[in-house]
Amino acid sequence: MRNPVVDYRSFKLSKINEPQYRHLLLLLGWPIYFALYFITEQLIPLERCYPIHCFLDDIVPFCEYFVIAYAGWYFLIVGSLIYLALYNPDNFKGMMKFIITTQVVAMIIYIIFPNRQDLRPTEFVNENLFTFIMGLIYKFDTSTNVCPSLHVAYSIGIASTFLKEKSVSKLSKTLITVFCFMICISVAFVKQHSVVDIFAAIPVCILAEWIAFGGYWKEKAAKKTNNT
């Protein structure tokens, strides 16, 4: 088993500004985002939210089994942050910059253009464990502030980060990428997002990729130029 590149056993909050721990400051983006999200949820009434819908939403069926990928997103985020914090702080910073960028852009859109989706089924045809979990998610996760989808944006950011991670095998990269893709489409199948929300996340991710990993792509382009 590989040894972590950062030893957190001696970590204390008083040491947060030390070079080996400074990357953890980016975690502050999470409480700030949650606070802003809560505020917008409370201050923007449902009737002010524009309903997001397209014809593909009527074609994509509700499928409760996609809740496995949808809920797995939460574990993917936590697992990715822990892994990168242990084994590659630079990519940890890159992924957090990607996530924070998508959070900032999404919050601006939610404030300027409040939106919602009205796609959730009124009842579940098949009562099972998966619909039970989906029902719980419906209860604590509102149907407002959905476009662009942060489920999609974070997943793309995680896949992008791990595709650049040298410590991860090609098989692991493939499995992570496939799982991230499944998360991206799951949002439509569990009726948490419109298909529009999925595509709306793409330009946000392009901006986040440039901000978080612009240096990586410039270096890659420079190497390609030198080799020609």
Side-chain angles (χ1 to χ4, degrees):
M1 186 174 180
R2 293 176 58 235
N3 292 322
V5 298
V6 180
D7 187 356
Y8 292 97
R9 289 175 294 182
S10 60
F11 172 73
K12 297 178 182 177
L13 283 177
S14 59
K15 296 182 178 182
I16 194 71
N17 282 314
E18 294 183 6
Q20 68 268 35
Y21 303 127
R22 198 172 295 157
H23 57 281
L24 296 177
L25 286 169
L26 288 169
L27 291 173
L28 291 173
W30 290 102
I32 293 172
Y33 163 72
F34 287 132
L36 290 174
Y37 184 82
F38 178 78
I39 291 171
T40 56
E41 287 287 301
Q42 298 301 313
L43 295 182
I44 301 176
L46 183 64
E47 56 269 19
R48 276 194 56 204
C49 296
Y50 181 84
I52 305 297
H53 182 269
C54 73
F55 73 95
L56 290 174
D57 298 325
D58 301 324
I59 298 175
V60 176
F62 171 80
C63 181
E64 68 268 24
Y65 302 112
F66 274 92
V67 73
I68 297 172
Y70 186 86
W73 176 78
Y74 299 99
F75 298 99
L76 178 66
I77 292 173
V78 174
S80 298
L81 289 174
I82 292 174
Y83 180 89
L84 294 172
L86 289 171
Y87 298 110
N88 195 331
D90 287 336
N91 273 351
F92 175 93
K93 289 188 286 186
M95 192 178 89
M96 278 305 305
K97 288 178 182 177
F98 190 107
I99 287 174
I100 290 172
T101 300
T102 60
Q103 289 173 340
V104 170
V105 174
M107 288 308 305
I108 292 173
I109 294 173
Y110 297 161
I111 292 170
I112 297 175
F113 178 61
N115 54 78
R116 73 176 195 268
Q117 57 90 354
D118 302 319
L119 303 171
R120 295 177 176 180
T122 55
E123 61 180 6
F124 297 121
V125 176
N126 301 313
E127 293 287 344
N128 52 46
L129 174 62
F130 303 103
T131 55
F132 173 75
I133 296 172
M134 205 63 244
L136 292 177
I137 292 174
Y138 284 169
K139 286 181 179 179
F140 76 79
D141 193 0
T142 70
S143 59
T144 58
N145 292 336
V146 292
C147 184
S149 167
L150 287 178
H151 244 76
V152 173
Y154 293 178
S155 298
I156 292 175
I158 291 171
S160 173
T161 302
F162 275 98
L163 286 173
K164 301 176 182 69
E165 181 56 46
K166 295 180 181 179
S167 67
V168 174
S169 67
K170 289 184 178 180
L171 176 60
S172 296
K173 290 180 180 181
T174 301
L175 292 175
I176 291 170
T177 302
V178 170
F179 186 57
C180 288
F181 173 77
M182 293 301 295
I183 292 171
C184 290
I185 64 172
S186 74
V187 302
F189 281 96
V190 297
K191 299 302 177 181
Q192 278 291 83
H193 287 276
S194 164
V195 174
V196 174
D197 305 339
I198 299 174
F199 287 104
I202 295 175
V204 178
C205 289
I206 293 173
L207 172 64
E209 179 75 16
W210 177 74
I211 291 174
F213 298 112
Y216 168 86
W217 291 110
K218 287 179 182 178
E219 183 179 339
K220 198 174 182 70
K223 287 182 179 179
K224 186 175 181 181
T225 301
N226 293 334
N227 293 332
T228 56

